[in-house]
Amino acid sequence: MDEGDHTPRADGGIDPDDGDESDHSSDSEDSSPSRSSTPDADGFAVEGSETDESEDEDPEAEDPDIEDFDPDAPTETGGDNSTEADPTTPTEADPTTPTEADSGGLSESDPDTGLNVEDGTSHDTPDVESIDSDADTPSVSTDARPETAGLDNGGRDRSSPDVDFDGVVLDDDDEDNQGLFDDLLSGEPIFENKEVLRPSYTPHELPHRNDQINRMATILVSALRGETPSNILIYGKTGTGKTASAKFVSQELESTSQKYDVPCEVEYINCEVTDTQYRVLAQLANTFIEENQAVIADRLERLETLRGDATDAEDTAGRDAAAALADTEFDSVDEIDERIETLEDDADGMEEVPMTGWPTDRVYSTFFEAVDYHERVVVIMLDEIDKLVEKSGDDTLYNLSRMNSELDRSRISIMGISNDLKFTDFLDPRVKSSLGEEEIVFPPYDANQLRDILQHRADTAFKPDALTDDVIPLCAAFAAQEHGDARRALDLLRTAGELAERSQAEIVAEKHVRQAQDKIELDRVVEVVRTLPTQSKIVLFAVILLEKNGVHNINTGEVFNIYKRLCEEIDADVLTQRRVTDLISELDMLGIVNAVVVSKGRYGRTKEMGLSVPVEETEAVLLSDSRLGDIENAQPFVQARFDN
């Protein structure tokens, strides 16, 4: 068989190697003739005579009866009917028109003359590309597959039902091809703007906090007069609106300063993240350096424009440069050049502080120079200020509160926000006196106030009629039970909406709020357990193993025995039993275990405990720790303890 012939595969398909274009062309210019195919009346190829495939040879030399094929001429299909065949457009077969193959007959053409055997009509040989490979007309199977039969895209015969379609991507209907997210997007969304329910969102109105907001405004208004505002300490439990109110007042302060063209700005720092003196000073220094560079760039642009105007007036209009600069602070172009050079030197000398590596005094001096570069009033808002004091002491607050006596152009005011009402008890008396000039307390919200807050946010966050009447009161009631935490109430409402949306419900109902309550509680437990120290995790894992093996009223001695075996398993240091007892007390304080002191009479006292969190979820979180993950089967340790 010729190399150009298709070799059928065992599965009835065509060998993919036969699709190469090289299989349908001669290897050399003087290659031997091969068998060609001539389409029949229906456009399907049947075996023809041996012809030379060389492009240089005239086909009429082989058979003078075959006419030259003109791609622009109409193709004769027999009878009186004829259609024009566009050489660039494949001819489609009409599935509704019966063909000779459908009627059971097939016209054969003389392989030498191309004449139809039955009626003697002549059929020109169409171009291979004009054959519609995607036509629905069934093909005629022959014993030997011609080289050019139904060629399309590499020589595959798409007109045959036995064609192997490996590697061919079929264009399915988009409606039938559903992706991973199509079903999730098919439902109507419940939220209009979910970000309104995030803790980071600062609303344009804060219900039930007007008194605190007005008091902050009366203290900070002096900044708009160029004076130094008093330092402010804000107290209150979590979720009482401290940060939201402070940010709201800060935004109003900055917008008003721009309105009256007064240099006043507020810098916010979360001390739970930026919790050391170095990091606080470095962040502030880099912020002011960036602002100073922007100010310098603006001044340089104005000076370059002024210098260009003065030079043009001197060169073109014949005016003196000093006359052109009469309304400015400069007397000559040289003075402008000196000022430009000074500003460029200032910009080059402003080096950003790395987040580690410099001595603290160098960071402090860099911050001092950056903030005092030009005249302005700065309010530094330190959120979670008690975390900074716990981690780094009160040195940062002392330095910041004493800066005003050294600054020449700028003024600094500190606004501290804390959840701990007693953190000032640990401050140096000098820091406490200068820092706590004004104190504002935020009381917890009650259920009615939480309902108003949630309703105010829900009107913007959800689509109309997306909540049942009992959703907001239930969220408010759950949050009011936990110290009036508005942040918890917002999280509960947002989570309930998310659960309803995931279940493709049309509205948020009471059941979604209760599901959200359970989910948030579990998420809180997971987060607390995940952030425990390794030793506390080992102690908690020992309690879980005892509970899973049916031990009730677990005492400290039993926990310590299992704890020692677990430490040996993961090669961890073994703490004393007294220290393990302290760790159990910490777990009790976090609400993970419930421990009570029980008197054993003359045998002394011991702690008996039980888990207060779901066992399976807590165990999964503990095993996700890289050190505890090796304890796949701790049952033998527990069993060994009972055997002893």
Side-chain angles (χ1 to χ4, degrees):
M1 180 178 290
D2 244 0
E3 291 180 359
D5 292 339
H6 293 287
T7 303
R9 300 191 317 196
D11 58 355
I14 297 174
D15 191 351
D17 294 336
D18 294 336
D20 189 24
E21 291 182 2
S22 63
D23 294 339
H24 308 293
S25 61
S26 58
D27 295 334
S28 62
E29 293 183 357
D30 56 350
S31 62
S32 60
S34 60
R35 296 185 62 85
S36 63
S37 60
T38 305
D40 64 357
D42 292 315
F44 297 100
V46 296
E47 243 183 336
S49 61
E50 292 183 0
T51 59
D52 192 350
E53 292 183 359
S54 174
E55 295 179 357
D56 298 335
E57 192 164 346
D58 188 0
E60 291 185 356
E62 180 85 7
D63 191 347
D65 295 333
I66 299 178
E67 298 178 358
D68 291 338
F69 173 65
D70 185 2
D72 296 327
T75 303
E76 295 181 4
T77 58
D80 296 332
N81 298 330
S82 63
T83 57
E84 293 186 2
D86 188 348
T88 62
T89 305
T91 305
E92 291 189 15
D94 187 0
T96 61
T97 304
T99 62
E100 292 181 4
D102 295 334
S103 61
L106 176 65
S107 298
E108 295 183 15
S109 59
D110 187 6
D112 294 330
T113 63
L115 297 177
N116 190 294
V117 175
E118 293 181 3
D119 55 12
T121 56
S122 174
H123 301 280
D124 293 333
T125 303
D127 193 343
V128 171
E129 293 180 358
S130 67
I131 297 175
D132 184 10
S133 62
D134 296 329
D136 295 334
T137 306
S139 64
V140 179
S141 175
T142 60
D143 295 335
R145 296 180 183 272
E147 291 177 0
T148 56
L151 284 179
D152 187 12
N153 296 335
R156 289 188 176 89
D157 184 4
R158 293 196 175 189
S159 63
S160 172
D162 297 331
V163 173
D164 184 86
F165 284 98
D166 290 343
V168 179
V169 179
L170 300 179
D171 293 333
D172 294 335
D173 191 354
D174 291 340
E175 296 180 356
D176 298 333
N177 187 16
Q178 292 291 329
L180 176 63
F181 295 97
D182 290 333
D183 291 338
L184 299 176
L185 292 174
S186 60
E188 287 294 328
I190 293 178
F191 290 101
E192 187 76 35
N193 183 8
K194 189 190 297 186
E195 297 304 314
V196 175
L197 301 177
R198 300 282 184 187
S200 58
Y201 176 77
T202 302
H204 299 293
E205 180 182 353
L206 288 164
H208 307 291
R209 284 295 178 255
N210 291 332
D211 293 342
Q212 289 79 9
I213 289 174
N214 290 334
R215 187 173 176 188
M216 277 190 280
T218 56
I219 296 172
L220 295 177
V221 69
S222 57
L224 299 175
R225 304 189 182 101
E227 302 172 356
T228 306
S230 300
N231 297 326
I232 306 174
L233 277 182
I234 299 174
Y235 300 100
K237 292 185 177 295
T238 301
T240 53
K242 304 182 302 298
T243 303
S245 299
K247 286 185 175 180
F248 174 79
V249 174
S250 300
Q251 291 176 358
E252 291 291 320
L253 179 65
E254 289 184 330
S255 62
T256 306
S257 67
Q258 295 174 2
K259 178 180 177 181
Y260 293 102
D261 196 19
V262 178
C264 181
E265 56 194 78
V266 180
E267 301 298 335
Y268 174 83
I269 293 180
N270 187 346
C271 296
E272 192 166 11
V273 179
T274 311
D275 57 355
T276 64
Q277 176 176 256
Y278 185 101
R279 292 179 180 178
V280 170
L281 295 176
Q283 182 173 332
L284 289 172
N286 290 336
T287 300
F288 290 122
I289 287 174
E290 184 178 352
E291 293 176 359
N292 293 341
Q293 290 174 341
V295 171
I296 290 174
D298 182 66
R299 290 180 179 176
L300 286 174
E301 183 179 358
R302 289 190 285 109
L303 289 174
E304 291 288 353
T305 303
L306 183 61
R307 185 183 186 281
D309 294 341
T311 304
D312 292 342
E314 188 175 15
D315 294 341
T316 59
R319 297 174 55 196
D320 184 52
L325 298 174
D327 297 334
T328 66
E329 58 181 306
F330 302 102
D331 296 330
S332 65
V333 176
D334 292 338
E335 291 185 9
I336 298 178
D337 291 338
E338 292 178 1
R339 180 66 61 84
I340 290 176
E341 184 178 356
T342 301
L343 290 175
E344 290 176 346
D345 291 341
D346 291 344
D348 293 338
M350 292 182 182
E351 182 181 2
E352 289 192 359
V353 181
M355 293 312 295
T356 183
W358 281 13
T360 305
D361 57 348
R362 181 182 177 186
V363 180
Y364 180 81
S365 62
T366 302
F367 162 63
F368 183 89
E369 294 172 359
V371 72
D372 203 35
Y373 183 74
H374 64 85
E375 182 179 355
R376 57 185 156 194
V377 178
V378 179
V379 178
I380 300 176
M381 188 189 308
L382 300 175
D383 199 0
E384 307 288 350
I385 191 175
D386 52 295
K387 304 294 183 183
L388 177 63
V389 174
E390 291 176 7
K391 184 74 177 286
S392 305
D394 54 10
D395 292 342
T396 308
L397 301 180
Y398 179 82
N399 291 330
L400 293 177
S401 62
R402 298 286 176 175
M403 279 187 66
N404 286 327
S405 60
E406 305 174 17
L407 294 173
D408 296 327
R409 301 182 182 90
S410 301
R411 293 291 179 265
I412 287 181
S413 174
I414 300 175
M415 180 187 297
I417 303 174
S418 173
N419 299 327
D420 187 358
L421 302 179
K422 298 181 180 180
F423 95 96
T424 54
D425 296 343
F426 304 98
L427 295 178
D428 184 279
R430 295 170 297 176
V431 177
K432 184 177 180 179
S433 62
S434 60
L435 186 64
E437 295 175 342
E438 297 282 351
E439 294 184 355
I440 302 176
V441 178
F442 281 67
Y445 294 108
D446 58 30
N448 292 329
Q449 292 174 337
L450 288 174
R451 190 181 307 164
D452 294 340
I453 294 172
L454 291 178
Q455 188 64 57
H456 183 263
R457 299 280 188 101
D459 292 340
T460 307
F462 291 95
K463 290 184 175 295
D465 301 327
L467 305 177
T468 58
D469 294 337
D470 53 356
V471 167
I472 289 180
L474 186 59
C475 291
F478 279 141
Q481 294 173 1
E482 301 183 11
H483 314 296
D485 190 343
R487 189 175 303 170
R488 176 64 180 271
L490 292 171
D491 288 342
L492 193 59
L493 182 59
R494 188 193 73 252
T495 305
E498 290 174 347
L499 293 175
E501 201 169 53
R502 291 171 192 170
S503 62
Q504 295 188 349
E506 296 181 356
I507 59 174
V508 184
E510 176 185 347
K511 65 177 183 179
H512 299 118
V513 178
R514 298 190 181 278
Q515 292 172 3
Q517 171 77 351
D518 296 337
K519 182 179 183 299
I520 289 177
E521 183 64 24
L522 180 60
D523 291 345
R524 184 191 68 83
V525 171
V526 168
E527 183 62 22
V528 171
V529 173
R530 187 183 63 82
T531 56
L532 286 174
T534 301
Q535 290 289 345
S536 297
K537 287 182 178 179
I538 300 174
V539 173
L540 179 58
F541 199 80
V543 177
I544 290 176
L545 290 178
L546 290 168
E547 281 234 348
K548 289 180 65 176
N549 285 271
V551 182
H552 302 290
N553 298 325
I554 305 168
N555 59 51
T556 307
E558 293 171 333
V559 173
F560 183 70
N561 288 335
I562 305 301
Y563 161 80
K564 287 193 299 182
R565 298 178 186 275
L566 293 177
C567 288
E568 294 170 0
E569 175 69 15
I570 64 173
D571 194 22
D573 295 336
V574 180
L575 303 179
T576 63
Q577 185 166 349
R578 180 181 294 277
R579 181 58 185 145
V580 170
T581 302
D582 294 338
L583 295 179
I584 292 173
S585 300
E586 293 178 5
L587 295 175
D588 181 28
M589 181 184 65
L590 293 172
I592 299 175
V593 300
N594 183 21
V596 294
V597 178
V598 178
S599 175
K600 297 294 184 179
R602 62 177 182 172
Y603 298 103
R605 296 183 302 170
T606 185
K607 279 188 175 181
E608 292 185 351
M609 71 205 73
L611 279 176
S612 302
V613 293
V615 177
E616 300 296 335
E617 290 81 357
T618 306
E619 183 180 12
V621 175
L622 291 175
L623 290 177
S624 65
D625 190 296
S626 59
R627 297 200 64 184
L628 289 165
D630 297 334
I631 311 177
E632 295 293 340
N633 187 9
Q635 182 68 26
F637 299 105
V638 179
Q639 190 64 41
R641 172 258 185 225
F642 289 124
D643 291 340
N644 290 336

